[in-house]
Amino acid sequence: MIYFALAKGRLGDASADLLERCGADVRVLREKTRKLVLESGDKKYGFFLVKPSDVPTYVEAGVADLGIVGKDTLMEEEKDLYEMLDLRLGECSLCLAGFPDRKDVLTNPLLRVATKYVRIAKRMFAERGEEAEIIPLHGSIELAPVTGLADVIFDVVQTGSTLKANGLVVLEEVYAGITARLVANKVSLKTKSEEILPLIARMKEMVI
Ligand code: PRP
């Protein structure tokens, strides 16, 4: 059996669709359930349903052989695993965003930046030789500038509707082309290669 770590949430449905197109019986992923461990109907695949940011942890540890996760999370988590395939799902960008009438805010000497991408943000400002106060949050990031907790946010923007609904705009697109990636545990790729490699080949056909 191949064990997958799959992200709950917006990437979850797209991941299930892709696996289905590759011939997996994933009906179980569409059922409304609170169960976190599921098996495909044909018993070929096991699924662990986890928070998106935890997918790399399960794959690095070898608890899951494969995972589907956003490039943003991979950049943030920096785990020791193989990135096998760009699945071209859920395309978004990592952006600095804030109020439209205060575009010069980015030149503030000590910019207050709210984000759930703490490591990426710290690296980015260090590379630029700029100082910033990073304010770690876990969600609803757009609330930070609205309430005065931060000057700007550093977050993923997909449709832009969350920014718009909160009166914010993109001030700078920092990393474009953030998409979902198939990742593999380094040991599993050797020990389960007969099962895993044909599946990866099928996935590759589906995304090209
Ligand atoms: C993400 C992100 C933005 C939003 C962007 O949050 O943090 O808030 O999606 O998407 P959009 O450009 O299509 O509006 P998510 O929905 O994952 O929820 P969270 O606030 O709990 O992190």
Side-chain angles (χ1 to χ4, degrees):
M1 191 179 259
I2 299 177
Y3 290 96
F4 266 94
L6 293 181
K8 291 195 279 189
R10 64 172 79 195
L11 207 52
D13 290 341
S15 303
D17 290 346
L18 176 65
L19 288 169
E20 193 158 58
R21 289 205 304 278
C22 293
D25 176 0
V26 297
R27 279 172 294 178
V28 73
L29 291 177
R30 308 206 194 280
E31 288 167 11
K32 276 206 159 49
T33 171
R34 297 289 294 169
K35 280 184 77 172
L36 301 173
V37 181
L38 300 168
E39 264 182 21
S40 64
D42 52 14
K43 308 249 184 274
K44 283 188 184 166
Y45 307 104
F47 304 111
F48 304 123
L49 306 184
V50 305
K51 289 267 272 187
S53 55
D54 293 335
V55 169
T57 303
Y58 279 87
V59 174
E60 182 188 52
V63 171
D65 304 304
L66 297 174
I68 295 179
V69 62
K71 180 68 179 175
D72 51 332
T73 304
L74 290 176
M75 288 165 70
E76 177 67 15
E77 298 297 324
E78 294 189 302
K79 296 292 186 190
D80 189 21
L81 38 72
Y82 289 133
E83 190 180 315
M84 305 298 297
L85 205 54
D86 181 349
L87 300 173
R88 300 186 192 171
L89 299 173
E91 181 153 3
C92 55
S93 306
L94 270 167
C95 299
L96 285 161
F99 292 108
D101 54 344
R102 278 183 256 154
K103 288 199 172 162
D104 58 344
V105 72
L106 292 181
T107 58
N108 278 5
L110 191 54
L111 190 67
R112 295 172 306 151
V113 184
T115 188
K116 51 189 169 191
Y117 301 99
V118 171
R119 289 200 195 102
I120 306 175
K122 283 186 176 165
R123 273 201 308 269
M124 174 185 75
F125 284 106
E127 281 165 14
R128 295 174 174 208
E130 291 170 12
E131 280 199 58
E133 181 192 344
I134 307 298
I135 301 171
L137 292 177
H138 299 283
S140 301
I141 313 296
E142 292 79 2
L143 188 61
V146 173
T147 55
L149 179 69
D151 302 309
V152 295
I153 62 169
F154 177 62
D155 199 13
V156 286
V157 178
Q158 190 169 28
T159 61
S161 55
T162 314
L163 286 183
K164 196 172 173 204
N166 292 287
L168 304 171
V169 294
V170 170
L171 300 176
E172 184 186 333
E173 186 181 57
V174 182
Y175 299 105
I178 304 283
T179 48
R181 310 295 160 103
L182 177 73
V183 294
N185 172 264
K186 290 187 164 181
V187 175
S188 299
L189 203 59
K190 289 187 188 139
T191 57
K192 293 189 175 182
S193 61
E194 283 180 19
E195 288 172 271
I196 288 176
L197 293 180
L199 174 64
I200 293 178
R202 281 202 297 282
M203 290 178 114
K204 201 170 183 176
E205 282 169 23
M206 289 301 144
V207 294
I208 286 175

